[in-house]
Amino acid sequence: MDGNGRWAKKRGLPRRKGHAAGADAAKALVTECRSLGIEYVTLYTFSKENWDRPKGEIRAIFDLLVRFLKQELDTLVEQDIRLHILGETAELPLATRKAVKFVCAKTAKCVSMTLNLALNYSGRDEILLACEKLLQSGIKPRDLTEEMFKNQLHTAGQPDPDLIIRTSGELRLSNYLLFQAAYSELYFTDTLWPDFDKAELHKALSDFAGRKRRFGKTSEQTGP
Ligand code: FPP
C-alpha cells in the first residue's frame, strides 16, 4: 500500500491523513475482491523496517488499524472473510495485539476469503524463522521437502500469490513474501495507494489475465 505519504504531501496534508485515505482504499479493495470471488488477499500493512519511521507516524498507523478492525468486524463476519496475520504479533503494541487477536478469533471459521495483513512482517525473517523451527524439530536434511518448508511460513496452508501489485512507481519487492513470490506475476503502477480504486484494480486484473504463465515450461508445453 505504497504512496500514502506522497498522496498527503501533494495535498498539503500530514502523512497520517494519507494513511487514513489508504485505509479507505484498502476497505474498497477488499470489498471488490470479495465480490469478484478472489479467495486470498494480502495487504502489506507494516514491515519490520517501518519501525524506523517517526514514532508519531507509527502510532497513527496502529491507531488507524485498530479503528479499522473494530469498524469492519461485523462486515468481515457478514462477508465470511477470515482475518489472518503474517508477521510477528508479539512485538505489536498491546491495543493492536488485542484487536488483531479478537478479530482473528471472531472470523476464524469464515471460509469465503482470507484477508492477510502483513504486520511487523519481513520476508527474510519469515524464512529464518522457518529454518529455526525445522532445525528445532530435529528433521534430517535429506527428509526436508518444499511442502514442509512452506508449512513453517506465516502463509502455511495458503496458495502462493498469483499477482503482486505495487503502487506508487516503486519497482521492488521490499522484503515482501520472498519465498512465496517465486512465480508470482508482478504489476507495477505509478498510481499512489489512496488512488488505487476499483477501476485501477480491474486494470491490474485484466493485465494479469493477459499474462502467459509457464512456470519454467516451454510455450509448446503450456499452449497459447
Ligand atoms: C506505505 O506508504 C504505507 C504504510 C507503511 C502504512 C499502511 C498502513 C495503513 C494504510 C493503515 C491501515 C491499514 C489497514 C489494513 C486498513 P508510505 O507511507 O511509504 O508512502 P510514501 O512512500 O508516499 O511516503
Side-chain angles (χ1 to χ4, degrees), residues 71-95:
Q71 270 166 15
E72 299 309 320
L73 174 59
D74 291 347
T75 313
L76 290 173
V77 174
E78 267 163 39
Q79 297 278 301
D80 200 30
I81 301 174
R82 178 175 78 106
L83 182 81
H84 180 70
I85 305 301
L86 312 180
E88 287 164 64
T89 48
E91 292 160 11
L92 294 172
L94 183 64

Side-chain angles (χ1 to χ4, degrees), residues 1-7 15 18-24 26-27 43-47 50 53 57 60-62 64-65 68 117 168 170 192-193:
M1 298 190 284
D2 207 3
N4 296 345
R6 278 163 283 169
W7 184 92
R15 292 179 62 83
H19 294 311
D24 292 342
K27 180 181 156 60
L43 297 172
Y44 201 176
T45 307
F46 196 85
S47 71
N50 286 151
R53 293 191 173 211
E57 180 175 349
I61 291 174
F62 285 117
L64 255 172
L65 179 63
F68 175 85
L117 296 186
S168 89
E170 308 294 352
L192 303 176
W193 174 252

Side-chain angles (χ1 to χ4, degrees), residues 145-163:
T145 64
E146 188 175 311
E147 215 42 47
M148 284 162 75
F149 193 86
K150 279 181 153 185
N151 284 335
Q152 301 303 328
L153 299 173
H154 296 304
T155 47
Q158 299 189 23
D160 289 339
D162 287 314
L163 174 64

Side-chain angles (χ1 to χ4, degrees), residues 193-206:
W193 174 252
D195 294 327
F196 193 85
D197 57 11
K198 219 160 119 169
E200 293 283 342
L201 173 68
H202 282 268
K203 218 182 332 167
L205 293 176
S206 71

